[in-house]
Amino acid sequence: MSNPLLVNPTAFEANLLSALAAQTSDVDDRKLAFESFARTGLPHRRMEAWKWTDFRTALNKDAPKADSAHLLTPSLFSGIGAFTITLDEQGPHWGDNVPNGMTLRLTDDVPKLMDIVGDHPMANLAAALCGQTLIITVSEDAIIHAPIHLRRAVTGAPSHMRVLISVDRGGSLKLIESIEFDKGGVDFDNLLTELRLGENASFNRTVYCNSGDDGVDMSLLAAELQAEAQFDQYVLLSGGQKARFETCLHFKGEEARAKMMSAALLGNKRHGDLTSHIVHEAAGCITEQQHKTVLKDQAMGVFQGKFLVEREGQKTDANMQANAMLLSDQATINHKPELEIYADDVLCAHGSTSGALDEEAIFYLRQRGLTQVAARSLLVEAFVGEVFDEIDDEDIAALFRQQTLTWLFSEKSDSLGKQSE
Amino acid sequence: MLKIENLHARVEESEILKGLSLTVPAGEVHAIMGPNGSGKSTLSHTIAGRDDYEVTSGGVYLNDTDLLTLDPNERAAAGVFLSFQHPMEIPGVATMNFIRTALNSQRKERGEEEVSAADFLRLIREKAKLVGLSDEKLKRPFNVGFSGGEKKRMEMLQMAIFKPQVCIMDETDSGLDIDALKMVGDVVNAIRDEKRSFLVITHYQRLLDYIKPDRVHVLAGGKIVKSGGPELAVELETSGYDQFIEAA
Ligand SMILES: Nc1ncnc2c1ncn2[C@@H]1O[C@H](COP(=O)(O)OP(=O)(O)OP(=O)(O)O)[C@@H](O)[C@H]1O
Ligand SMILES: [Mg+2]
């Protein structure tokens, strides 16, 4: 298929073109978005921001068989009383009893992308191919107590979804987002979420991403924060064949705050990329970010974090820490923290470390009676536990701790030194 | 009884212990003194089973148990306790939870019943008082932000809780104030009985005022080069180690 939009499209990209041709609504805007995507095509290693996460190559392999994908049922979050919105082959859908204070609707239109992701290839791809966009609105001063669970449950063909959320002044929303595969993985799941947080509004997002050994997955959130808004995010990333979790925040009003805590537990040949881009364009805003990666087998972890402080961002207080623990010498970690600062009165810091388990600490614990496996898992739990300690919701913190143990003791791996027992 | 026979051990390429023999009968306290770098900590780590110390020949026995065939945690369950010269800080590990897990893990290995949460709480509160650690310290991650002396108190707390068969105290007294020194004496004397053995490594005679040793040994050049009664410690205070370094 020859097409003026994409130069030398891969087979996968050619299919994206057919998907575009099949769109029936707001066709012109979709074409524009696709053109923007087509400037680069699927992100690949020669693009700086994607050098460690090459979707073009990942998606050019033999497509994983859709019927091998095994979605975990019920969801890990089924017991916590959330209102569930399912994102699957039928698009977004939900049941009765939408909580008071919020509205849900679908639109065929293609709203303009939020500035901070206007040129993002995956955002443009989602806008071009998403079908209907889900719009979640929380009205002024409405506090939504029950969490909303966005369950990503596509198991078949590549999927592109788009969700717009606005929490108006003084409102509050708790969102859980999950993709849960225990086998196989999704062909390609591309989710774009755009969030508008009004003055003094608060948003709490918990994410669990387990895209499966074969899954290719992209989750991108873009957010604009008005004055004194509060954004909290807690993430547990289990990776996939290629999985990227990206957060782009834009501080537009003074004294807003963001807290971003995340952990990646990666095994087998999995890949997990946590990328963030935070723009401080208003005075007195605070960002606190911490990311911990634990790697075993031949897994690869990526952390890319950037703080951009514009001239308007005086008195910014931004701190970014990334730490990795490697349980196998065949695993790889790539850390890339970046600061770009145009204001003169700011407090910005970043730090990153990586290393193996501390053998001296293991000996200490074993001298006290702990087995090799118990000593190692205690240290791993302690390492990622610092992230989970920050989660207010006890049920979710307990669930993440439990997932850590499950992951540590999953078959195949000898990273805990089981053989020497 | 702890029995060490002709022990040779190496670290990386160099031999540190060069035929060390020593017996600490049940119920006795033996002190080891010796110059820096002579192998005292190497000995204590080797008995406890640290695997970067390679035993090339000789044996270490606790009663009839051949310790060298056991993993470090099995040695702990058999009753070997090492109070570390430099105790670790372990961020993220809750102190009480860890000590309880350790105690129950030892008990499980010995086929004993686990200690309940309530009984453990009572036990640790009582012993914490004895060693002078506040509740607030017990609630912190293990040893994080502790002073040198507080870390040594934490070692004594664990020794008082585990009640091991063989207590190896590697310079527990260094960095301690006078009151803490007395506390160490109290902890040892409280559990001292006819079955338990103590190996007390120290540079100073003053600890031995609180813990009366049955025997004092000089370790130099990887071997025991002289043994005697408590008076030997006093003698060394004035004479130093020159004579032994030349001999070794
Ligand atoms: N892990 C190691 N790697 C290399 N050399 C080591 C190691 N551990 C100990 N050594 C060496 O072994 C020798 C004995 O050290 P050790 O710590 O046993 O001495 P010590 O008698 O306890 O001294 P101190 O009184 O200073 O505590 C020293 O020369 C030391 O440098
Ligand atoms: Mg020493």
Side-chain angles (χ1 to χ4, degrees):
Chain A
M1 181 193 218
S2 80
N3 191 290
L5 286 173
L6 280 162
V7 185
N8 292 331
T10 63
F12 190 91
E13 287 170 330
N15 286 333
L16 295 175
L17 278 167
S18 338
L20 177 67
Q23 295 294 328
T24 52
S25 70
D26 210 349
V27 174
D28 291 342
D29 284 337
R30 290 182 195 274
K31 273 200 176 135
L32 280 176
F34 198 88
E35 271 167 30
S36 176
F37 161 75
R39 271 179 223 127
T40 58
L42 285 169
H44 52 79
R45 66 174 59 114
R46 288 184 311 281
M47 295 159 71
E48 179 61 23
W50 298 86
K51 62 180 170 187
W52 291 309
T53 303
D54 185 328
F55 274 154
R56 180 178 287 174
T57 307
L59 290 169
N60 211 19
K61 291 186 182 151
D62 291 341
K65 283 168 202 65
D67 61 9
S68 71
H70 190 281
L71 193 68
L72 194 67
T73 312
S75 160
L76 289 174
F77 299 92
S78 61
I80 63 165
F83 176 81
T84 302
I85 300 173
T86 305
L87 306 180
D88 62 14
E89 277 76 4
Q90 304 158 45
H93 56 96
W94 56 91
D96 297 335
N97 300 320
V98 176
N100 281 336
M102 66 181 266
T103 58
L104 297 174
R105 68 183 178 93
L106 295 171
T107 177
D108 289 325
D109 296 343
V110 178
K112 186 175 173 293
L113 285 174
M114 206 171 251
D115 286 348
I116 193 170
V117 289
D119 293 327
H120 195 293
M122 303 311 285
N124 278 290
L125 187 61
L129 302 182
C130 65
Q132 290 188 307
T133 294
L134 168 64
I135 300 185
I136 304 176
T137 311
V138 174
S139 45
E140 205 170 302
D141 291 327
I143 312 288
I144 314 300
H145 292 286
I148 307 303
H149 180 190
L150 270 187
R151 174 141 155 91
R152 305 171 66 190
V154 172
T155 54
S159 134
H160 308 272
M161 301 265 182
R162 188 172 177 197
V163 179
L164 301 188
I165 304 174
S166 62
V167 183
D168 292 347
R169 178 202 307 254
S172 165
L173 180 68
K174 248 180 110 166
L175 188 84
I176 295 166
E177 182 187 313
S178 76
I179 183 162
E180 306 170 54
F181 285 98
D182 57 4
K183 269 200 226 99
V186 61
D187 276 8
F188 178 47
D189 191 331
N190 178 26
L191 172 66
L192 167 65
T193 308
E194 287 154 284
L195 168 72
R196 286 188 172 78
L197 272 185
E199 276 176 36
N200 217 2
S202 73
F203 180 75
N204 181 312
R205 183 187 193 213
T206 299
V207 184
Y208 175 63
C209 276
N210 181 352
S211 317
D213 279 344
D214 302 325
V216 180
D217 167 30
M218 172 81 206
S219 168
L220 169 63
L221 175 128
E224 288 179 359
L225 284 72
Q226 300 302 329
E228 293 179 50
Q230 166 95 30
F231 175 89
D232 289 294
Q233 180 169 275
Y234 306 98
V235 181
L236 179 55
L237 193 63
S238 268
Q241 186 214 126
K242 277 279 181 297
R244 170 137 155 170
F245 185 87
E246 184 168 337
T247 310
C248 301
L249 302 185
H250 193 167
F251 285 99
K252 302 195 104 175
E254 297 187 358
E255 294 183 18
R257 284 179 299 164
K259 181 165 165 183
M260 303 166 66
M261 309 294 293
S262 50
L265 304 174
L266 308 170
N268 300 337
K269 292 193 162 99
R270 288 195 184 198
H271 175 106
D273 170 337
L274 191 124
T275 291
S276 59
H277 181 63
I278 318 287
V279 180
H280 280 260
E281 204 182 0
C285 297
I286 300 174
T287 297
E288 184 196 345
Q289 181 176 22
Q290 184 163 32
H291 181 61
K292 303 247 187 180
T293 305
V294 186
L295 296 153
K296 56 184 188 179
D297 311 317
Q298 290 118 48
M300 180 192 271
V302 174
F303 171 82
Q304 306 184 106
K306 179 167 182 178
F307 291 155
L308 167 61
V309 183
E310 302 282 14
R311 270 210 307 277
E312 298 83 349
Q314 298 295 1
K315 306 268 183 216
T316 287
D317 181 350
N319 185 15
M320 173 198 321
Q321 297 296 325
N323 314 97
M325 180 182 271
L326 288 86
L327 301 180
S328 144
D329 50 18
Q330 293 173 63
T332 315
I333 182 73
N334 292 299
H335 281 153
K336 186 180 167 206
E338 251 185 300
L339 303 177
E340 192 177 329
I341 301 172
Y342 300 100
D344 49 24
D345 182 16
V346 301
L347 223 60
C348 282
H350 69 79
S352 78
T353 63
S354 68
L357 273 175
D358 182 349
E359 288 300 328
E360 233 182 295
I362 290 167
F363 176 65
Y364 186 95
L365 298 171
R366 296 190 73 191
Q367 201 313 291
R368 295 307 187 238
L370 268 58
T371 62
Q372 170 91 301
V373 170
R376 288 178 170 259
S377 58
L378 185 69
L379 292 178
V380 174
E381 281 178 79
F383 178 73
V384 289
E386 282 185 282
V387 167
F388 306 150
D389 285 347
E390 299 289 326
I391 303 178
D392 293 333
D393 188 320
E394 273 308 312
D395 291 341
I396 290 176
L399 207 146
F400 280 6
R401 287 204 177 84
Q402 185 53 48
Q403 279 311 107
T404 305
L405 289 177
T406 307
W407 177 80
L408 266 173
F409 292 102
S410 61
E411 19 82 71
K412 279 198 202 169
S413 271
D414 58 3
S415 308
L416 289 171
K418 283 178 201 159
Q419 287 119 330
S420 66
E421 281 301 296
Chain B
M1 181 180 69
L2 176 70
K3 191 168 181 189
I4 302 161
E5 285 178 348
N6 192 27
L7 187 64
H8 290 257
R10 58 197 306 151
V11 183
E12 279 156 24
E13 288 312 295
S14 50
E15 183 166 62
I16 311 291
L17 301 181
K18 302 172 182 168
L20 188 147
S21 297
L22 176 67
T23 298
V24 188
E28 293 197 2
V29 174
H30 287 207
I32 292 187
M33 304 181 84
N36 293 133
S38 59
K40 302 181 297 298
S41 294
T42 302
L43 173 65
S44 64
H45 282 105
T46 305
I47 299 170
R50 175 138 194 187
D51 57 13
D52 31 3
Y53 296 84
E54 189 201 346
V55 174
T56 48
S57 68
V60 182
Y61 303 90
L62 171 56
N63 300 325
D64 296 325
T65 309
D66 179 356
L67 290 180
L68 297 182
T69 62
L70 302 182
D71 282 340
N73 47 295
E74 293 168 335
R75 297 184 199 198
V80 175
F81 179 87
L82 170 59
S83 170
F84 284 72
Q85 182 176 356
H86 304 291
M88 304 278 312
E89 290 190 18
I90 313 183
V93 168
T95 303
M96 294 215 263
N97 186 38
F98 155 56
I99 298 177
R100 188 173 150 223
T101 307
L103 176 64
N104 281 332
S105 170
Q106 290 185 25
R107 293 179 68 92
K108 192 174 158 208
E109 178 75 28
R110 293 194 292 260
E112 296 167 8
E113 225 171 278
E114 294 202 348
V115 173
S116 74
D119 286 346
F120 178 75
L121 200 62
R122 230 169 287 130
L123 180 66
I124 196 168
R125 288 248 162 85
E126 176 201 323
K127 303 302 181 193
K129 218 171 185 176
L130 179 66
V131 304
L133 283 174
S134 66
D135 254 24
E136 186 268 324
K137 293 268 157 33
L138 298 182
K139 284 180 182 141
R140 280 207 221 162
F142 191 76
N143 277 347
V144 173
F146 280 28
S147 73
E150 288 165 345
K151 287 178 185 165
K152 296 300 176 72
R153 288 174 195 263
M154 188 57 84
E155 297 295 282
M156 288 299 98
L157 173 69
Q158 296 170 77
M159 192 168 93
I161 288 175
F162 298 150
K163 294 197 165 172
Q165 287 303 303
V166 177
C167 304
I168 305 164
M169 297 164 63
D170 192 352
E171 295 196 31
T172 302
D173 55 335
S174 50
L176 291 190
D177 62 34
I178 307 287
D179 291 341
L181 214 55
K182 185 169 170 304
M183 172 278 295
V184 172
D186 292 343
V187 171
V188 170
N189 293 324
I191 59 172
R192 196 166 173 171
D193 67 15
E194 71 282 356
K195 283 190 251 141
R196 201 159 273 127
S197 313
F198 292 85
L199 198 56
V200 180
I201 298 168
T202 182
H203 285 296
Y204 307 103
Q205 133 74 23
R206 60 178 187 195
L207 176 67
L208 306 178
D209 290 339
Y210 298 98
I211 311 172
K212 285 269 167 285
D214 296 288
R215 302 282 291 164
V216 175
H217 308 275
V218 179
L219 199 169
K223 287 187 225 184
I224 301 297
V225 293
K226 183 164 184 175
S227 300
E231 71 289 345
L232 179 56
V234 184
E235 207 180 298
L236 288 167
E237 257 311 76
T238 47
S239 67
Y241 296 114
D242 284 358
Q243 41 176 328
F244 304 116
I245 290 173
E246 278 149 28

